[in-house]
Amino acid sequence: MSVTTPQGFVAAGIASGIKTNGNKDLALVVNQGPDLSAAAVFTANRVAAAPVHYSRTVIADGQAKAVVLNSGGANACTGKAGYADTVATAERVADRLGTQASDVLVCSTGLIGERLPMQTLLTGVDRINEQLTTDGGTDAAEAIMTTDTVAKTASASGTGYSIGGMAKGAGMLAPELATMLVVLTTDAKLSSAQAEEFLNQAMRVSFNRVDADGCMSTNDTVVLMASGASSVEPDADEFQELLDQVTVDLAKQLVADAEGASHEIEITVVNAASEEDAEMVARTVSRSALFKTAIFGNDPNWGRVVSAVGTTSAEFDPDMLDVTINGVQVCRGCAIGEPRENVDLSGREVSVEIDLHAGDHSATLWTIDLTHDYVEENSAYSS
Amino acid sequence: MSVTTPQGFVAAGIASGIKTNGNKDLALVVNQGPDLSAAAVFTANRVAAAPVHYSRTVIADGQAKAVVLNSGGANACTGKAGYADTVATAERVADRLGTQASDVLVCSTGLIGERLPMQTLLTGVDRINEQLTTDGGTDAAEAIMTTDTVAKTASASGTGYSIGGMAKGAGMLAPELATMLVVLTTDAKLSSAQAEEFLNQAMRVSFNRVDADGCMSTNDTVVLMASGASSVEPDADEFQELLDQVTVDLAKQLVADAEGASHEIEITVVNAASEEDAEMVARTVSRSALFKTAIFGNDPNWGRVVSAVGTTSAEFDPDMLDVTINGVQVCRGCAIGEPRENVDLSGREVSVEIDLHAGDHSATLWTIDLTHDYVEENSAYSS
């Protein structure tokens, strides 16, 4: 159950020495074909890292042979020299695999504003190339961890094909760690256009719905590669459903491993005029520091929910808002509902449902609370 | 140096019993004329409290005789009954002052979702009416405090007139406390239209530039009343300058008293293509939880600044960004600048300058860091 679960993929993860603590820091995932269909989504941050700029050019033709990923350095805000480092990495991988650098995606994660130790990294590429195996997915998932406490993998089986994946990111809580890197693989037969369409749809309901602290990385990259090794042309609905399942699984693993979280919060907005409205409202609530500290304090403070909802441009009548926390409708018609004392927030999982009474669309988003540990981990990280 | 500094104003602040701890909780500021020109700005939150809805109708004609303000309860999300409470408060004040309820502004601050103790409040109105004096401004400023640790007042002297003001709000950190209530007074002669124009301009560079945690209250209200008692028609430039001075003074007092802050941060964006761009960039950085926790950790983490800037739609070339923290240009051309070790963040005041190299506009915004005390105060408040 990893990127090497589908046929046609080999991977490896090694400690190349980029991280000075001896942990794994270099991963390589290779598509052995017969197809090289691929799609990728990158951070929307205009301050994007060198590997993002480079990988955008690689994916433009819808083909990719391999993804090389390093932890231990984001290679962001490193100027032309940093971009040259990314190109050199891709070229070395291509050379070892007997392919073109223009078919090698590069991902980096770690601190912003520092150059990568290139000699170490390139020597690592030579070594990792020798270790590629059909069960290397777990090692690869370990090699992309930064402040993650567990490696994150997932898979799903379709009719004659499978989908695998790995992700890193400690809850999207530290963008300069290039929080979210995801590699998805499948042995289904997909055209590049299909891969792109499936991936975009899956993003919409999974990684785009994880919003731990509203911060956006310079390095976020999500890649889908299809080898076609099963020779199966999948049913589109089934494939989409399975890909959504794998990506939602990975997304929830990111939240579950979020730095410093004491509650995992699922925010569902129902009866919205549009899915966009539903998502906007959920995202705004998920970004309210006051709401998030209240949940940390086991306080079902619905006033902080409705005051966040009230700042959005979503369609709703302010007098019609209902808020239900862990099954108790504490706010009804934007006024006092059931007693807040009835809400039990002692567990780790929290559900918040917001009813806009404005239509029949809905959206779910996952976030975490704002805790002392969050402040500690994020204030102490680089100092 | 308070709302009773200008001629033509009396005020008082008493402990009416709304707060159960015996602290002052009711304030009244009365304009004795001859003019009753007034302007007000309210929260943009669509979930607005009853007193905001009511006061919007009062100010519509540009005239106001008095402002009554209570702490100890926001009267927000209290439905039609809560609105009736606000009307009853205005009617009682009007009755005692011999004026119309339609000339009495009402402000409330405290917890959302609870009715006010109306018998206590109305009895308090009867009592406070007996205590109005020309030096009651300080008592009034004390009576509107919630989690504020100090009363906030300011004043400025013009050519033959003066401007006074009071504010409450512990750094805009707790919107359900109806964070920001401000009353400004002047004895200059202003038309209603002038009052509105001066107030809107002052808001732009003061209270709208304080963004402690990005949360917006249901109750925010800023009022300017002009008595004309000095008979002086002020020079517009001078008056604006002085009003800006008073409002910036009060705004910075709000930040200085922010709940749980260990650093006061001044973010200035320079060389922007427009003032809107400059403000957008400053606001986005001020809302980055990662940037704010880094400052708490005395960490000049410029990567967290540029990654926040990169999420905006402001006009700039990502390769041209400079970031200077406490005088040290740690990021130059979106790459490594002076050594971060040169930045001293041990003091309480922090300045961050972001150069967009895209024009000649600028904007300054004030915020605070994200600390353990912030989490503690905001998680423990209502539980």
Side-chain angles (χ1 to χ4, degrees):
Chain A
M1 55 169 271
S2 72
V3 290
T4 47
T5 298
Q7 299 173 60
F9 291 93
V10 290
I14 66 167
S16 73
I18 303 172
K19 285 181 183 166
T20 52
N21 63 5
N23 286 347
K24 292 196 184 77
D25 53 23
L26 187 64
L28 182 59
V29 182
V30 180
N31 181 355
Q32 299 186 310
D35 301 340
L36 298 182
S37 300
V41 176
F42 302 97
T43 181
N45 199 313
R46 294 165 64 196
V47 178
V52 168
H53 286 298
Y54 179 75
S55 294
R56 281 196 179 115
T57 69
V58 170
I59 205 66
D61 65 357
Q63 304 277 304
K65 174 73 181 168
V67 191
V68 59
L69 313 93
N70 77 275
S71 53
N75 197 8
C77 298
T78 45
K80 288 177 182 170
Y83 190 81
D85 291 343
T86 291
V87 174
T89 305
E91 284 174 345
R92 182 70 71 108
V93 170
D95 182 59
R96 290 294 170 268
L97 294 176
T99 185
Q100 313 284 327
S102 60
D103 280 332
V104 178
L105 295 157
V106 182
C107 301
S108 298
T109 174
L111 263 182
I112 286 178
E114 292 184 2
R115 294 279 302 277
L116 289 167
M118 284 308 294
Q119 196 50 52
T120 303
L121 200 163
L122 294 178
T123 306
V125 168
D126 296 343
R127 281 176 47 215
I128 200 169
N129 181 54
E130 306 294 318
Q131 302 187 31
L132 292 165
T133 68
T134 54
D135 58 4
T138 305
D139 283 343
E142 286 172 11
I144 57 175
M145 291 166 62
T146 53
T147 56
D148 306 65
T149 64
V150 292
K152 299 165 185 77
T153 62
S155 66
S157 294
T159 309
Y161 64 93
S162 65
I163 301 174
M166 67 177 186
K168 67 104 359 194
M172 310 192 63
L173 285 169
E176 89 274 42
L177 293 179
T179 309
M180 188 174 61
L181 298 183
V182 181
V183 178
L184 302 160
T185 56
T186 182
D187 48 12
K189 274 193 89 64
L190 302 180
S191 68
S192 301
Q194 285 175 310
E196 187 176 357
E197 195 179 324
F198 286 128
L199 181 60
N200 286 339
Q201 167 61 18
M203 289 297 299
R204 201 170 60 81
V205 297
S206 58
F207 300 113
N208 284 346
R209 294 281 174 80
V210 181
D211 198 325
D213 62 3
C215 296
M216 188 194 288
S217 161
T218 52
N219 291 54
D220 288 340
T221 302
V222 181
V223 176
L224 170 61
M225 296 193 291
S227 70
S230 70
S231 303
V232 174
E233 294 182 13
D235 172 75
D237 290 342
E238 183 191 79
F239 189 88
Q240 188 68 62
E241 191 182 322
L242 294 173
L243 187 65
D244 290 357
Q245 184 184 309
V246 168
T247 54
V248 168
D249 184 343
L250 290 171
K252 292 176 83 164
Q253 288 184 53
L254 294 180
V255 172
D257 196 24
E259 290 166 356
S262 74
H263 290 87
E264 296 162 34
I265 309 172
E266 180 173 279
I267 301 174
T268 301
V269 175
V270 301
N271 296 322
S274 67
E275 187 177 329
E276 291 67 33
D277 271 11
E279 185 180 342
M280 181 202 309
V281 168
R283 194 173 297 280
T284 302
V285 173
S286 82
R287 290 184 177 179
S288 163
L290 288 165
F291 162 70
K292 288 152 73 95
T293 47
I295 296 299
F296 169 58
N298 291 341
D299 172 13
N301 196 322
W302 59 267
R304 295 180 180 184
V305 176
V306 296
S307 64
V309 176
T311 65
T312 72
S313 60
E315 189 177 325
F316 65 86
D317 175 346
D319 292 332
M320 298 278 282
L321 292 176
D322 300 332
V323 178
T324 301
I325 302 179
N326 278 1
V328 181
Q329 195 176 62
V330 283
C331 170
R332 190 176 299 134
C334 210
I336 305 154
E338 300 297 315
R340 50 201 295 156
E341 293 74 33
N342 294 359
V343 181
D344 179 7
L345 289 172
S346 59
R348 188 173 168 88
E349 297 196 353
V350 177
S351 75
V352 177
E353 186 183 279
I354 300 158
D355 191 334
L356 298 182
H357 293 284
D360 58 5
H361 295 271
S362 64
T364 296
L365 187 144
W366 299 276
T367 187
I368 55 162
D369 54 353
L370 178 53
T371 70
H372 286 303
D373 286 350
Y374 175 92
V375 172
E376 191 61 27
E377 294 194 29
N378 286 293
S379 61
Y381 177 71
S382 81
S383 53
Chain B
M1 55 169 274
S2 72
V3 290
T4 47
T5 298
Q7 298 174 60
F9 291 93
V10 289
I14 65 167
S16 73
I18 302 170
K19 285 182 183 165
T20 52
N21 63 5
N23 286 347
K24 291 196 183 80
D25 52 23
L26 189 63
L28 183 59
V29 181
V30 180
N31 180 355
Q32 300 186 309
D35 301 341
L36 298 182
S37 300
V41 176
F42 302 96
T43 180
N45 199 311
R46 293 165 63 197
V47 178
V52 168
H53 287 297
Y54 180 75
S55 294
R56 281 196 178 115
T57 69
V58 170
I59 205 67
D61 65 356
Q63 304 276 304
K65 173 73 181 171
V67 192
V68 59
L69 313 93
N70 77 275
S71 53
N75 197 8
C77 298
T78 46
K80 287 177 181 170
Y83 190 81
D85 290 343
T86 291
V87 174
T89 304
E91 285 175 344
R92 184 69 72 107
V93 170
D95 183 59
R96 291 293 170 270
L97 295 177
T99 185
Q100 313 283 327
S102 60
D103 280 332
V104 179
L105 295 158
V106 182
C107 299
S108 297
T109 174
L111 263 182
I112 285 177
E114 292 185 2
R115 294 280 301 278
L116 288 168
M118 285 308 294
Q119 195 52 52
T120 302
L121 200 163
L122 295 178
T123 306
V125 168
D126 296 344
R127 279 177 48 215
I128 200 170
N129 181 52
E130 306 294 319
Q131 301 187 32
L132 292 165
T133 68
T134 53
D135 59 3
T138 305
D139 284 342
E142 286 173 10
I144 57 176
M145 291 165 64
T146 54
T147 55
D148 306 66
T149 63
V150 290
K152 299 165 185 77
T153 61
S155 66
S157 294
T159 310
Y161 65 94
S162 65
I163 301 174
M166 67 178 185
K168 69 103 359 194
M172 309 194 62
L173 283 169
E176 90 274 44
L177 294 180
T179 309
M180 188 173 61
L181 299 182
V182 181
V183 179
L184 302 161
T185 56
T186 182
D187 48 12
K189 273 193 92 63
L190 302 180
S191 68
S192 302
Q194 285 176 309
E196 188 176 356
E197 196 179 322
F198 285 128
L199 180 60
N200 287 340
Q201 166 62 17
M203 288 298 297
R204 203 170 59 81
V205 296
S206 58
F207 300 113
N208 285 346
R209 294 282 174 79
V210 181
D211 198 325
D213 62 4
C215 296
M216 188 194 288
S217 161
T218 53
N219 290 55
D220 288 340
T221 303
V222 181
V223 176
L224 170 62
M225 297 193 289
S227 69
S230 70
S231 303
V232 173
E233 293 181 14
D235 172 74
D237 289 342
E238 182 191 79
F239 189 86
Q240 189 69 62
E241 191 180 323
L242 293 174
L243 186 65
D244 289 358
Q245 183 183 311
V246 168
T247 54
V248 167
D249 184 343
L250 290 170
K252 292 177 84 164
Q253 287 185 52
L254 294 180
V255 171
D257 195 25
E259 290 166 355
S262 74
H263 291 88
E264 297 162 36
I265 309 171
E266 180 173 279
I267 302 174
T268 301
V269 176
V270 300
N271 297 322
S274 66
E275 186 177 329
E276 292 67 34
D277 271 11
E279 185 180 342
M280 179 202 308
V281 168
R283 194 174 297 280
T284 302
V285 173
S286 82
R287 290 184 177 179
S288 163
L290 289 165
F291 163 70
K292 287 151 74 96
T293 46
I295 296 298
F296 169 58
N298 292 342
D299 172 13
N301 195 321
W302 60 267
R304 295 181 179 183
V305 175
V306 296
S307 64
V309 176
T311 66
T312 72
S313 60
E315 190 178 326
F316 65 85
D317 175 346
D319 291 332
M320 298 277 282
L321 292 176
D322 300 332
V323 178
T324 301
I325 302 180
N326 278 1
V328 181
Q329 194 176 63
V330 282
C331 171
R332 189 176 302 133
C334 210
I336 305 156
E338 301 298 314
R340 47 202 297 158
E341 292 75 31
N342 294 0
V343 181
D344 179 7
L345 287 172
S346 59
R348 187 172 169 90
E349 297 197 354
V350 178
S351 76
V352 177
E353 185 182 280
I354 300 158
D355 191 332
L356 299 182
H357 293 285
D360 57 5
H361 295 270
S362 64
T364 297
L365 187 145
W366 299 276
T367 188
I368 54 164
D369 54 353
L370 178 52
T371 69
H372 286 304
D373 286 350
Y374 175 93
V375 172
E376 190 62 26
E377 295 194 28
N378 286 295
S379 62
Y381 177 70
S382 80
S383 53

